[in-house]
Amino acid sequence: MAAGISGKLVLLWTFRGARAHLCCGRNPFYLTLHDKQQTVSLYRSLCSRHDQNLEPTAVREEMVGSLVNMGFTEPQVEQLTKGALSSRTDRAVNQHLSTVSALVALGFNPSSVLKILDKCPELYRVKGVLLQQRVDNLRKLGLMEGSLQRVISHYPQLLTLPLKRVNGVSRFLREKCLLTVQQVTDILRDSPSVVLEDTGRLEHRVQYAYFRMGIQQAEMVRSGLFRVSLEEVRCRHSFLERRGLYQTPDKKGYTSIVNPKLKDFLTVPEDTFLRKVALATREEFEVFRKLMEREMQGEEEPESSNSEEEDEDGYESEDRRRMSYRRRKK
Amino acid sequence: MAARTDTRILLRKLGTIYSIPRRNRMKAKWATSQPKFPSTSLALQNFDMVYGTQLGDLWPSVRVSMLSEQKYGALINNFSEAAEVMEELQLQGALDFVYNGMVKSRFKPARPHNSGTLGYYLMDAASLLPVLALDVQEGHTVLDLCAAPGGKTLALLQTQAIGHLAVNDFSASRTSRLRRVLQSYVPREYWSEDTVQITSCDGRKFGELERDTFDRVLVDVPCTTDRHSLLEEDNNIFKKTRMKERQKLPLLQAQLLVAGLEAARPGGEVVYSTCTLSQLQNEYVVEQALHVAQEAGITAHVQDLRAFARLFAATFHFAPNPRLGELVLPHLTANFGPIYFCKLRRTS
């Protein structure tokens, strides 16, 4: 088993190396005279257009050169250097370049690199070493080539977060919400925004789904529960429950009616939800949403006023006992 | 002969029981270990079965409304500074829907005014409809057969037109509550002993006690108060121990309505009202009571209330095509009710 894993890892590293080699290595070989000329002319035009005060330093020259080497076209280079060349220090320029090259090394093509940086300009400020560390960490969390690229292009903010945060959320999901490693990977891939969420609220949502709706962890991951806020989950679930269309399964998992599938009513747009599942009008749901907000506010207030209630304690500890029981069973 | 063999069999059976040594006898199951179902969920189950078939497609909407927060109305007390209170409530976003002072929104409990009477009474806005349907005129003698806790009685008194009002409720404690409500809302000079007479006797006997006396009779009978049964555990009629009482409700309701018909004078009008959706306690009771009254020599006819319902259709959600009377269905956009009311006119 271990041998198999390590074999896979070695294979992976080889591939990664090859890819990096390909990316960096392709251009010097195929750099033609024409390309060189283009670089020089581009650089000149850029410097003349942007800032006459700034002396063209070696670093800036190098930057444009390497960007073209990486396969960026003229307008793309212009867009990328717009911020960098106006900054005063060479270090910032270097920083820009290292971010871009790290993204290119991940296998993104120039246009998607631009898109990612557009979506999340904070990435410019992340050091190259840190960026590499974070990418490696994501790989360690189980995001393979392909899904890694997908996550980063969808949610580049993931790379701006410190390692501690990402690892902490992943550990939290495993230990507190009793998800398997594979399920955590799936969550990171399909709804990476969980890493920014408050862990308390995250736990509340998982517990709501588990105890109140009677959903197992595997189903939670599959249905996209982590993409929807607790309020929305509660609102839609209570609406269905009070209409008599959803029942919490008993301890053996039986219900007297057939519950609608979670993914059919959680992640679908409101119109579809009302038309196909709830069979209600929009006005009704809007009123209900307001009533739910009021109910939730009403619940929070008494809790804060007398938090040391014995009933609450008993309920909590029972939850924990059940959770730990499940853990032992696994 | 048959009796003798029966006793012999019985004796033999007893013998077998007592021949088993005590240590081998099965112990009966303890009541505490039997599964406990909260009355509210029993009520919900019952409603799902009964109303699911009765209302069909309308039931989910009604169900979600009954399980959600109810909307309140405030009955403005004309005996305090009514105009002032109205203004205050309208500032809170309340809306007047009857000319004479009903508003709706979310209200705080009423505070006593300078004069010592409370400004408004909080109640389900729809429960005012039976009172309005009763159509009390100047100088009428009116009977409220099951009056406590007093919301409808108070609404009756707000008209300030009643010549004589007889208020009755079976339970003494509820009567005292009713008395408290009246005391805190109505100044003493408006309800002396000869205008308002509060009694606490069995409503079913009213037909014999005061036959053919009243111009208007309001029969607001006890029922499986649907909304209350779904939300509150205490005093819930769906408790296992109150099963018998629940099953006898339609009978009691019919008897009360007959008594009400008897107490009305010929030409007088009777309004029967409940706060349940169940046909068994609404239409069927009215039919049954009419039938029984006919046998006792009283004829009464059901009055058409469709025009009345149309008047309030903007505020309440009425059931489409009712067989007899009118039924207010709770709906999330107008979360009042359920209230059923039916108006009868005694002809002889």
Side-chain angles (χ1 to χ4, degrees), chain A residues 289-302:
Chain A
R289 194 189 287 276
K290 279 179 199 155
L291 286 177
M292 274 309 278
E293 269 169 31
R294 216 185 244 183
E295 271 177 38
M296 279 188 249
Q297 275 172 10
E299 267 167 35
E300 276 159 23
E301 276 161 19

Side-chain angles (χ1 to χ4, degrees), chain B residues 226-238:
Chain B
D226 285 0
R227 202 183 272 275
H228 179 268
S229 307
L230 278 182
L231 297 177
E232 302 265 333
E233 192 60 39
D234 57 312
N235 200 14
N236 196 317
I237 196 150
F238 281 87

Side-chain angles (χ1 to χ4, degrees), chain A residues 9-275:
Chain A
L9 271 180
V10 169
L11 209 69
L12 213 127
W13 284 331
T14 352
F15 272 131
R16 209 190 303 160
R19 193 190 292 262
H21 178 74
L22 267 179
C23 288
C24 307
R26 181 188 59 196
N27 292 314
F29 287 120
Y30 296 103
L31 200 66
T32 55
L33 192 67
H34 176 72
D35 273 339
K36 263 181 194 160
Q37 278 171 351
Q38 192 192 7
T39 315
V40 173
S41 66
L42 177 60
Y43 172 70
R44 276 189 194 134
S45 67
L46 277 177
C47 285
S48 58
R49 208 179 305 161
H50 271 292
D51 208 339
Q52 271 77 16
N53 303 340
L54 272 178
E55 284 300 308
T57 61
V59 179
R60 282 155 220 274
E61 199 171 334
E62 196 186 314
M63 178 179 187
V64 177
S66 40
L67 281 179
V68 173
N69 282 353
M70 283 182 231
F72 288 91
T73 61
E74 188 174 338
Q76 285 171 342
V77 170
E78 211 173 301
Q79 209 179 330
L80 273 176
T81 49
K82 215 188 284 167
L85 286 184
S86 59
S87 60
R88 304 268 153 190
T89 55
D90 288 350
R91 200 192 287 160
V93 179
N94 261 334
Q95 183 67 61
H96 269 66
L97 194 58
S98 72
T99 303
V100 173
S101 57
L103 287 176
V104 170
L106 267 174
F108 287 111
N109 60 15
S111 60
S112 40
V113 168
L114 271 180
K115 239 181 252 164
I116 290 170
L117 288 172
D118 252 7
K119 225 190 249 180
C120 178
E122 295 88 47
L123 268 185
Y124 282 128
R125 261 172 270 135
V126 182
K127 284 202 184 99
V129 188
L130 275 180
L131 208 63
Q132 194 54 46
Q133 263 180 12
R134 285 170 194 173
V135 169
D136 285 343
N137 183 46
L138 288 181
R139 284 203 178 98
K140 213 164 35 180
L141 288 175
L143 290 171
M144 293 300 149
E145 305 304 310
S147 32
L148 180 66
Q149 276 76 3
R150 218 188 101 204
V151 168
I152 291 174
S153 59
H154 274 278
Y155 196 77
Q157 285 87 341
L158 204 57
L159 291 180
T160 61
L161 293 170
L163 282 187
K164 230 186 217 169
R165 175 85 202 161
V166 179
N167 285 339
V169 168
S170 136
R171 193 172 343 107
F172 172 83
L173 285 174
R174 266 181 285 124
E175 288 175 1
K176 281 280 163 61
C177 305
L178 303 179
L179 293 156
T180 63
V181 178
Q182 184 55 47
Q183 284 166 348
V184 173
T185 309
D186 288 348
I187 290 171
L188 276 182
R189 192 187 56 219
D190 297 334
S191 37
S193 53
V194 288
V195 291
L196 274 185
E197 256 177 85
D198 178 35
T199 48
R201 284 175 58 78
L202 204 59
E203 189 175 11
H204 193 177
R205 195 182 334 159
V206 172
Q207 290 199 343
Y208 183 84
Y210 187 83
F211 292 111
R212 197 68 187 69
M213 302 171 73
I215 295 164
Q216 298 296 318
Q217 276 87 345
E219 176 72 23
M220 286 180 209
V221 176
R222 239 180 291 136
S223 61
L225 174 78
F226 294 91
R227 259 173 281 160
V228 194
S229 73
L230 173 66
E231 283 74 28
E232 188 64 25
V233 172
R234 236 184 118 165
C235 203
R236 289 192 181 189
H237 166 245
S238 315
F239 192 60
L240 286 183
E241 195 183 34
R242 290 189 191 177
R243 285 184 80 84
L245 300 171
Y246 192 98
Q247 269 181 7
T248 309
D250 61 3
K251 59 187 174 192
K252 285 179 185 163
Y254 295 137
T255 51
S256 58
I257 54 167
V258 181
N259 281 344
K261 288 240 176 64
L262 200 57
K263 67 171 191 300
D264 288 342
F265 73 84
L266 266 193
T267 46
V268 295
E270 200 171 290
D271 271 334
T272 329
F273 166 69
L274 289 174
R275 207 179 55 243

